[in-house]
Amino acid sequence: MIRKTLISCLATLAIGALLGPLPAHGGQSDAREFLANHWVQAEAGRYGPFATGRRANEVANHYRQRGYDAWVYSAWGDYYVEVR
């Protein structure tokens, strides 16, 4: 019982450390806006695999809105986004 609790606490701390601090001044909409603006550092490269073409297109549109060229392509049943 103690081991299970300890492992779940460590996992929670690790996930919290990966997400980083959220702004303390706002509500849920501010947190969503913060995560949307800091979702991924926009860099050229290949992103994926994504399970659906719809999700790959969402990611590609995210980069297109930031001024990058993005293409969606399929390989072996998975979808990838190429950003330049």
Side-chain angles (χ1 to χ4, degrees):
M1 178 75 173
I2 293 174
R3 183 177 181 191
K4 184 186 267 187
T5 304
L6 180 62
I7 290 174
S8 64
C9 288
L10 289 175
T12 302
L13 288 173
I15 291 171
L18 290 174
L19 291 176
L22 293 176
H25 59 71
Q28 188 175 14
S29 62
D30 289 338
R32 284 185 185 153
E33 181 180 337
F34 177 82
L35 289 174
N37 291 335
H38 296 86
W39 181 59
V40 171
Q41 292 294 327
E43 295 182 10
R46 182 182 306 165
Y47 296 92
F50 299 101
T52 64
R54 180 179 180 178
R55 178 63 183 142
N57 280 315
E58 288 175 358
V59 172
N61 287 333
H62 170 80
Y63 285 106
R64 288 178 188 132
Q65 289 174 352
R66 282 152 181 75
Y68 288 85
D69 291 326
W71 297 274
V72 175
Y73 65 94
S74 176
W76 298 95
D78 293 325
Y79 295 90
Y80 295 87
V81 176
E82 184 75 30
V83 179
R84 293 187 187 182

